[in-house]
Amino acid sequence: MEHITTPKVENVKLLDRYTNRKAANGTLYLTATHLIYVDASAEVRKETWILHHHIATVEKLPLTTAGYPLLIHCKNFHMAHFVIGQERDCHEVYTSLLKLSQPVKPEELYAFSYNPKMSKENREIGWKLIDLKVDYQRMGIPNDYWEITDVNKDYEVCNTYPPEIVVPKAANKAVVIGSSRFRSRGRIPVLSYLYKENNAAICRCSQPLSGFSARCLEDEQMLQAIREANPGSPFMYVVDTRPKLNAMANRAAGKGYENEDNYDNIRFKFIGIENIHVMRNSLQKLLEVCETKSPSMSDFLTGLENSGWLRHIKAVMDAGVFLAKAVKDEKASVLVHCSDGWDRTAQVCSLACLLLDPFYRTFKGFMVLIEKEWIAMGHKFSHRCGHLDGDPKEVSPVFTQFIECVWQLMQQFPCTFEFNERFLLEIHDHVYSCQFGNFLGTCHKEREDLKIFEKTHSLWPFLLQKKQELRNPLYRGFTAYKELQPNTLPFSFQFWCGMYNRFDKGMHPKQCVLDHLLSCVSQKMKLEDNASELENKLPFLDGPLPSEACSLSKVGYAASKTPMLNTPQDYEVEPPPALSNGASAGDVDVVSDVDRKHKENLLHHQGLHDLSDAIDVLDSKTKDGKLQHH
């Protein structure tokens, strides 16, 4: 609170970026964690909350006739344009927000003060919810070829890897230590995913310290052990996700890439994903396009193309597809790296896992995937997300790109993910919010040093509590789909309005189809519960007997198959002529209140049968590759 000199400013205007409506007028509050704007001009109390950690930039604009403008850009792509009446108030809010949004010490982050009134035991249970050992066991590890080793328990091998890693059984400690000395930052080849169908593995590491001619016997033995752990293939791929020019430039610094002449039976391939600086600039150009007021279609499309953003998304997706095809179709193991193995490597390994394994498309599986490929393996969230006041050149939307790639997959395969778009947005928000401890720091060792597991809470139990509103109503179950083979031609990629223009009024359809479907499914569950409760009461009331209720269920099911009953909206206008006891409207003059309620529940239930039929049709079209996206 010492950074807040003016906690309250009245008569502050909030401008709307897209509409020409009159600016809101209200009061701006600064708290220890949030900026809160209360609109006094609204008939109903309306509040806008902005978490300090979400603020990316605060900018004072030139004086206008209305007052002193303050422009706030957020890391979750929210933008707020305030106009403050007095220069002094504007300056004090500006300086306060600069300090509040850029803490210097990790202990100042929101997670260390966030208190959801949870017991110590429940907090500890929350952190144990995701156990990576269980995921490796699901893959069949340990086995004859792979083992979980604690060789890194004191971080002697690599201080950015977790204490336990999965390596080939044939690679002894001397090989592991020797390989670590030949890999940038000691990040040796370790297993990410084992495809049980054919023993092909996806492994990851950092670039070798090869320079122009250096080689390392232990590193060569490590790659040989990975290749021989897959007896079904005579070779393995080594994939460098960088553009070839970038990798060659690293040779001059004593780093570089593997020489095929030094490693037995490897096939080397460059993928060509650009570095963090290119990605940061690309996102900035994209946001400039999104913030253009009333752009023409030509200007918008030209700006989108010039940003290169979707081109980069396609490059990441292509890399993930290559890995998945190599493992599944060619039955070959793959070793992946970029420079240090914590940015592009995390992106493509995660995507390959999603394409190959339906478990990772469930709520729990997606959490495991993020823990395994991003958090445990040392993606530098603190630096890439700008959690602390540091080098702005280290900030880059690496994780944002991964989340968007998942969303792009959801557009092509709408029935294969258990979760919906809102789930992705929630995770993206909390990567930047610093409200939970999962994404703080840069690696496991740093999180231990910060006592994250003792002093903060995990995000995953919080999301699972909201599971009902984050689920995908089109999801067809774990076994409905196995591997995914997305189309990566340019026309397959869409601009994600729901991410980059999420907070802009008037930018979205008035009714999202999936949201409506989710509410229908939720309504169906409630109605089924009501119907069950009413049927239990029937024997004690003057109404139809249980046997008659059974006949009614059959009639209801038959009616649900008729073309006249389509959606729940149909019943709002004119309910079909079926009553709770199965008689026609002309046969009965008096219907009890209980029967009437029972009838209404069943009629809604009938409409929701057709909802299920619609999902089945959509599902079959998806499988046939006939689903069209607009």
Side-chain angles (χ1 to χ4, degrees), residues 56-99:
T57 61
V58 187
E59 186 181 357
K60 284 199 297 184
L61 301 180
L63 174 66
T64 67
T65 54
Y68 295 85
L70 196 64
L71 189 62
I72 297 174
H73 284 96
C74 296
K75 297 169 185 176
N76 61 348
F77 312 116
H78 187 188
M79 193 193 81
H81 191 164
F82 296 106
V83 179
I84 300 174
Q86 300 296 319
E87 181 182 12
R88 179 184 172 186
D89 290 339
C90 181
H91 181 72
E92 289 187 349
V93 170
Y94 169 76
T95 53
S96 293
L97 288 177
L98 281 181
K99 292 174 182 176

Side-chain angles (χ1 to χ4, degrees), residues 300-318:
F300 176 78
L301 293 176
T302 302
L304 183 60
E305 166 62 21
N306 291 339
S307 74
W309 183 254
L310 287 179
R311 191 163 61 249
H312 298 315
I313 295 296
K314 172 176 160 50
V316 175
M317 190 78 85
D318 280 332

Side-chain angles (χ1 to χ4, degrees), residues 201-274:
I202 296 175
C203 298
R204 57 183 291 176
C205 61
S206 61
Q207 64 184 333
L209 304 178
S210 53
F212 290 101
S213 59
R215 58 187 296 183
C216 171
L217 177 62
E218 289 87 355
D219 195 66
E220 292 163 22
Q221 290 173 337
M222 174 66 89
L223 266 66
Q224 181 181 350
I226 292 173
R227 179 178 56 78
E228 291 177 350
N230 178 18
S233 176
F235 72 95
M236 68 178 282
Y237 280 107
V238 176
V239 173
D240 191 328
T241 59
R242 300 169 292 182
K244 185 174 183 180
L245 206 61
N246 296 23
M248 291 179 70
N250 271 277
R251 279 186 158 186
K255 300 176 183 178
Y257 53 92
E258 293 80 359
N259 184 336
E260 286 184 270
D261 295 335
N262 297 339
Y263 295 86
D264 291 336
N265 300 309
I266 71 164
R267 295 184 186 177
F268 191 85
K269 181 178 177 63
F270 285 108
I271 293 286
I273 302 171
E274 297 290 351

Side-chain angles (χ1 to χ4, degrees), residues 12-82:
V12 176
K13 292 182 174 61
L14 176 59
L15 307 184
D16 191 311
R17 187 165 27 154
Y18 285 98
T19 62
N20 293 319
R21 70 177 66 177
K22 185 179 177 182
N25 189 62
T27 304
L28 187 150
Y29 299 89
L30 290 183
T31 72
T33 57
H34 290 80
L35 177 156
I36 305 169
Y37 178 77
V38 181
D39 185 353
S41 56
E43 294 179 7
V44 180
R45 182 181 174 90
K46 185 179 175 184
E47 298 179 355
T48 301
W49 289 56
I50 298 176
L51 189 66
H52 296 324
H53 292 317
H54 272 160
I55 296 175
T57 61
V58 187
E59 186 181 357
K60 284 199 297 184
L61 301 180
L63 174 66
T64 67
T65 54
Y68 295 85
L70 196 64
L71 189 62
I72 297 174
H73 284 96
C74 296
K75 297 169 185 176
N76 61 348
F77 312 116
H78 187 188
M79 193 193 81
H81 191 164
F82 296 106

Side-chain angles (χ1 to χ4, degrees), residues 372-417:
K372 179 165 66 79
E373 297 300 326
W374 293 84
I375 297 173
M377 297 307 294
H379 176 66
K380 302 198 296 181
F381 280 105
S382 180
H383 295 172
R384 296 292 178 260
C385 301
H387 289 163
L388 299 171
D389 186 17
D391 185 358
K393 291 182 180 178
E394 283 289 298
V395 174
S396 190
V398 179
F399 189 75
T400 300
Q401 287 182 317
F402 165 66
I403 290 292
E404 172 157 347
C405 285
V406 178
W407 179 82
Q408 297 284 355
L409 285 174
M410 290 167 73
Q411 305 317 294
Q412 290 197 38
F413 304 99
C415 302
T416 61
F417 290 83

Side-chain angles (χ1 to χ4, degrees), residues 471-528:
R471 63 190 289 267
N472 172 19
L474 297 179
Y475 182 55
R476 302 307 292 159
F478 185 85
T479 56
Y481 300 87
K482 204 169 184 185
E483 298 85 4
L484 302 182
Q485 297 180 4
N487 189 331
T488 60
L489 291 173
F491 60 74
S492 303
F493 295 89
Q494 304 175 35
F495 171 70
W496 191 3
C497 181
M499 170 73 94
Y500 306 108
N501 288 105
R502 175 163 48 131
F503 297 95
D504 297 317
K505 299 169 187 173
M507 287 294 290
H508 306 286
K510 290 185 178 179
Q511 186 179 60
C512 172
V513 175
L514 288 186
D515 281 350
H516 180 61
L517 186 54
L518 187 60
S519 68
C520 287
V521 172
S522 178
Q523 182 189 24
K524 173 189 172 185
M525 292 170 66
K526 289 177 183 175
L527 292 174
E528 286 175 340

Side-chain angles (χ1 to χ4, degrees), residues 111-179:
F112 290 99
S113 60
Y114 173 61
N115 181 15
K117 308 297 182 189
M118 183 184 291
S119 68
K120 180 184 176 183
E121 291 75 18
N122 285 341
R123 185 184 67 208
E124 290 173 354
I125 291 170
W127 280 115
K128 293 174 182 175
L129 183 66
I130 304 299
D131 185 349
L132 298 186
K133 264 191 175 179
V134 173
D135 194 45
Y136 290 124
Q137 288 166 5
R138 188 183 62 86
M139 299 177 206
I141 298 170
N143 57 30
D144 293 341
Y145 300 104
W146 296 94
E147 65 178 356
I148 303 172
T149 175
D150 63 354
V151 68
N152 195 43
K153 62 183 177 182
D154 297 319
Y155 305 105
E156 292 176 358
V157 176
C158 174
N159 63 5
T160 59
Y161 271 178
E164 293 184 322
I165 51 179
V166 179
V167 296
K169 263 191 177 178
N172 58 36
K173 188 173 182 180
V175 169
V176 169
I177 298 293
S179 177

